[in-house]
Amino acid sequence: DTGVSQDPRHKITKRGQNVTFRCDPISEHNRLYWYRQTLGQGPEFLTYFQNEAQLEKSRLLSDRFSAERPKGSFSTLEIQRTEQGDSAMYLCASSPAGRTLNEQFFGPGTRLTVL
Amino acid sequence: AQSVTQLGSHVSVSEGALVLLRCNYSSSVPPYLFWYVQYPNQGLQLLLKYTSAATLVKGINGFEAEFKKSETSFHLTKPSAHMSDAAEYFCAVSPYGDAGNMLTFGGGTRLMVKP
């Protein structure tokens, strides 16, 4: 299967700990997006990359959050000093870039629980 | 700024009945519009998208949606519900033009199908 993959699928951590999630996009896709979905809500945009450049960040992305895509392939999302309010599903999506609208393909998500 | 409103966080229909899930958007210009489906513990799957071509859009699994500019709506329908349609459905918008194509989602509608 060559879809978007995310690792881990589930993460339980204690408040104050740092966590890192990984996303592997579809190989030919140069755009990569991170979204956060809390229980009972729709996903909210966090940030996106075109190749290795981070082009947009939501105000939801506090300074405790950092995302990287060092070689324009996989991406990591790190949350430092986790808080209970960070508990959510973190979704990654990828798409090809271009002048026409391209579908975003979503991964299965990483569910974070902060105790 | 764009926004999406999905009327009805829960919709229940009988198997074989018509499915109607409502979506209204707010945007200064007609955006791109999408419907996604999410099954438990899975990522989002695209059902269909409107990209300013035909106003009636057909998607997968027998779903379709009609773009009505005068009503700023993009309601999702299916003539006959199947048990396998039970899931969470999200309407989303994206800015017209190649502006990163970040998605803004509605709050979601959980569809329940009764036997």
Side-chain angles (χ1 to χ4, degrees):
Chain A
D1 191 307
T2 56
V4 178
S5 62
Q6 293 186 246
D7 183 70
R9 293 291 307 276
H10 303 273
K11 178 70 176 179
I12 299 174
T13 192
K14 293 182 179 179
R15 189 165 48 114
Q17 297 294 305
N18 299 343
V19 295
T20 300
F21 310 140
R22 176 178 170 127
C23 171
D24 286 89
I26 295 172
S27 59
E28 64 269 25
H29 288 180
N30 48 11
R31 280 192 178 162
L32 186 148
Y33 304 80
W34 285 99
Y35 294 85
R36 182 174 69 186
Q37 184 179 21
T38 53
L39 203 60
Q41 301 297 318
E44 296 172 295
F45 169 77
L46 291 178
T47 188
Y48 96 94
F49 293 83
Q50 181 154 319
N51 301 313
E52 66 276 9
Q54 188 173 17
L55 297 184
E56 189 80 23
K57 291 196 293 185
S58 163
R59 59 180 173 78
L60 294 175
L61 210 66
S62 76
D63 56 6
R64 296 186 297 106
F65 288 69
S66 62
E68 294 183 344
R69 194 182 183 197
K71 296 183 180 180
S73 55
F74 73 92
S75 175
T76 58
L77 178 68
E78 180 183 16
I79 308 174
Q80 296 182 327
R81 305 181 303 282
T82 53
E83 302 172 355
Q84 288 186 325
D86 297 331
S87 296
M89 175 79 86
Y90 290 85
L91 296 166
C92 176
S94 70
S95 77
R99 294 189 179 276
T100 60
L101 179 67
N102 291 295
E103 175 187 349
Q104 291 183 30
F105 293 82
F106 282 81
T110 294
R111 182 170 296 283
L112 172 66
T113 301
V114 182
L115 302 176
Chain B
Q2 299 176 119
S3 66
V4 178
T5 302
Q6 291 185 240
L7 295 176
S9 59
H10 292 79
V11 169
S12 181
V13 300
S14 297
E15 191 172 21
L18 171 72
V19 175
L20 170 61
L21 305 182
R22 299 179 186 275
C23 172
N24 288 87
Y25 68 90
S26 173
S27 176
S28 56
V29 295
Y32 297 127
L33 293 155
F34 307 80
W35 276 99
Y36 281 85
V37 61
Q38 186 177 34
Y39 297 99
N41 299 315
Q42 294 186 27
L44 284 78
Q45 180 184 8
L46 182 69
L47 280 176
L48 49 81
K49 63 183 180 183
Y50 168 75
T51 59
S52 76
T55 57
L56 182 63
V57 182
K58 294 187 183 299
I60 62 171
N61 301 338
F63 285 93
E64 61 182 38
E66 185 174 9
F67 171 69
K68 291 187 177 180
K69 182 179 177 181
S70 61
E71 299 178 6
T72 60
S73 69
F74 191 56
H75 301 330
L76 182 71
T77 61
K78 182 175 181 178
S80 176
H82 191 271
M83 296 297 290
S84 62
D85 294 326
E88 187 94 24
Y89 291 79
F90 293 96
C91 182
V93 300
S94 176
Y96 185 81
D98 188 28
N101 299 146
M102 293 87 76
L103 296 170
T104 300
F105 287 87
T109 297
R110 181 167 298 278
L111 176 65
M112 294 166 284
V113 182
K114 299 175 292 185

